[in-house]
Amino acid sequence: EAQVTQNPRYLITVTGKKLTVTCSQNMNHEYMSWYRQDPGLGLRQIYYSMNVEVTDKGDVPEGYKVSRKEKRNFPLILESPSPNQTSLYFCASGTGSREQYFGPGTRLTVT
Amino acid sequence: RKEVEQDPGPFNVPEGATVAFNCTYSNSASQSFFWYRQDCRKEPKLLMSVYSSGNEDGRFTAQLNRASQYISLLIRDSKLSDSATYLCVVTPTSGGYNKLIFGAGTRLAVHP
């Protein structure tokens, strides 16, 4: 089954404790992206990757890191999480300026 | 001003009603347009693309007006299962490959 998976789905952590959210896709897509979704603001792009070893900042990259060492994986790293990073995070993959496929989301709470 | 603006709703309609959502975008050079559907805090999924000539998919009709920078989605004969948030999505001409700009969404609640 073609899908994008994310782990963990739910995470409660404390300020400053490094965490990684994994993302994996099995559709051989070159393009992958991370978004955060906050009430009233919609989805905002954090980082994206056009291919292995090629990443770039989206609209809200501060406080986040990513890596793309393999085509299928695109982890999101929060080196020192803060409460303003409490949000719902989605990973997505796609090809061309067409449909993107989203993972199920990771609900992160930073206390 | 937000790049993509939508009425947040909620739109509360009875089954069988026709409902229309509107969306405006600020970048006149935007290239591609979509409607995504998002069920209660689940992942967004593509509902349909929007073409200049207008397009229809069953009970759903999408329209694009480039001159007014306006996109619409019409749902006829609403079903309970149509209850969701509808996201207007635009791709700009510059920025990342496959960059999508999302509106904040319009919530639809269809009741019996």
Side-chain angles (χ1 to χ4, degrees):
Chain A
E1 179 190 356
Q3 60 181 350
V4 179
T5 57
Q6 293 179 229
N7 282 291
R9 295 288 312 280
Y10 303 91
L11 179 60
I12 300 174
T13 190
V14 296
T15 298
K17 186 175 181 182
K18 181 180 178 179
L19 66 91
T20 299
V21 184
T22 64
C23 173
S24 183
Q25 52 96 2
N26 63 2
M27 294 169 279
N28 202 37
H29 288 156
E30 291 182 345
Y31 183 86
M32 297 186 74
S33 182
W34 276 102
Y35 297 87
R36 61 179 288 174
Q37 186 173 34
D38 303 290
L41 296 178
L43 284 111
R44 294 177 293 167
Q45 190 180 55
I46 303 170
Y47 268 94
Y48 64 95
S49 170
M50 294 198 289
N51 214 326
V52 175
E53 302 293 359
V54 181
T55 64
D56 208 346
K57 297 177 181 178
D59 299 314
V60 288
E62 293 77 22
Y64 304 95
K65 288 175 58 177
V66 294
S67 69
R68 187 91 180 273
K69 300 189 184 306
E70 303 168 285
K71 197 172 188 178
R72 63 182 290 125
N73 296 324
F74 190 44
L76 179 70
I77 303 158
L78 284 72
E79 294 272 4
S80 183
S82 61
N84 64 12
Q85 293 178 297
T86 292
S87 188
L88 178 59
Y89 291 87
F90 288 103
C91 179
S93 72
T95 58
S97 289
R98 292 284 304 154
E99 181 174 8
Q100 288 196 21
Y101 298 85
F102 286 80
T106 295
R107 189 174 294 279
L108 172 65
T109 301
V110 183
T111 62
Chain B
R1 181 186 174 188
K2 292 181 181 177
E3 290 188 72
V4 179
E5 298 208 55
Q6 296 182 248
D7 182 339
F11 284 58
N12 294 300
V13 303
E15 277 186 287
T18 295
V19 61
F21 306 138
N22 301 321
C23 166
T24 57
Y25 60 95
S26 60
N27 185 347
S28 61
S30 295
Q31 290 294 313
S32 303
F33 309 88
F34 309 94
W35 284 101
Y36 274 68
R37 170 191 167 131
Q38 185 175 26
D39 293 305
C40 190
R41 304 308 268 176
K42 292 192 174 180
E43 72 271 26
K45 293 182 179 179
L46 180 67
L47 177 66
M48 59 197 302
S49 301
V50 187
Y51 304 115
S52 296
S53 55
N55 49 297
E56 189 174 304
D57 183 2
R59 297 181 293 108
F60 299 83
T61 300
Q63 296 275 353
L64 167 64
N65 184 323
R66 285 189 182 270
S68 301
Q69 295 176 217
Y70 169 101
I71 305 160
S72 66
L73 177 67
L74 182 77
I75 305 175
R76 291 180 299 278
D77 188 23
S78 299
K79 312 290 185 191
L80 294 175
S81 57
D82 293 333
S83 296
T85 296
Y86 291 83
L87 307 173
C88 177
V89 183
V90 171
T91 64
T93 54
S94 60
Y97 176 72
N98 276 332
K99 183 177 176 67
L100 303 182
I101 308 294
F102 286 82
T106 298
R107 193 155 61 90
L108 171 66
V110 182
H111 57 82

